Amino acid sequence: MNRTCFFTGHRIIRNEHKEILGTRLHNKIQHLITLGITHFIAGGALGFDTLAANAVIEARNNNPEIILTLALPCKTQTSGWHKKDINEYERILSLADEVIYVSEEYYDGCMQKRNRYMADNSSHCIFYMTSPRGGTAYTIKYA
């Protein structure tokens, strides 16, 4: 049995939803751990990916068998990001157990390639979707 879960979700999360999402992520991750899920893959994007990666890092504090993999679309993912977001990204990157880049450079389609990689290598998915369009919807349909 594949004991891997990946995350996908929107980058923009309303401030009033962040706390409840954090709580739900924590609870869902804890439940999956009781089912034997020990490997989690996050895509390294802003928004939901960041919340999810932080929730896995927190869960790993009490469950050392937990593995966090960051599946990143390219090495230049943070190009154009604010410094604060880059600092958070680099902190998460330093705490990941494994980092996989699906491409060296950005190109049209590298995000979808990253998303397919995560889905193809997981048996479970936790997602945050408020719109039936865009990359998150594509990834959920693909998975």
Side-chain angles (χ1 to χ4, degrees), residues 14-81:
R14 293 170 53 180
N15 284 335
E16 61 268 21
H17 293 167
K18 286 182 182 176
E19 186 175 339
I20 188 79
L21 271 177
T23 300
R24 287 182 177 176
L25 272 167
H26 171 80
N27 292 340
K28 210 46 150 150
I29 289 166
Q30 291 304 316
H31 175 70
L32 289 174
I33 291 169
T34 67
L35 299 177
I37 304 303
T38 57
H39 188 186
F40 295 88
I41 306 174
L46 298 172
F48 189 70
D49 284 1
T50 299
L51 282 176
N54 279 319
V56 171
I57 290 165
E58 181 182 325
R60 190 176 58 192
N61 289 335
N62 297 320
N63 303 279
E65 73 279 8
I66 299 302
I67 297 167
L68 172 63
T69 296
L70 295 181
L72 306 176
C74 59
K75 292 185 175 180
T76 57
Q77 178 170 341
T78 61
S79 179
W81 288 17

Side-chain angles (χ1 to χ4, degrees), residues 72-77 100-107 110 113:
L72 306 176
C74 59
K75 292 185 175 180
T76 57
Q77 178 170 341
I100 296 167
Y101 295 96
V102 299
S103 175
E104 288 291 317
E105 298 292 326
Y106 177 84
Y107 67 89
C110 71
K113 184 177 179 182

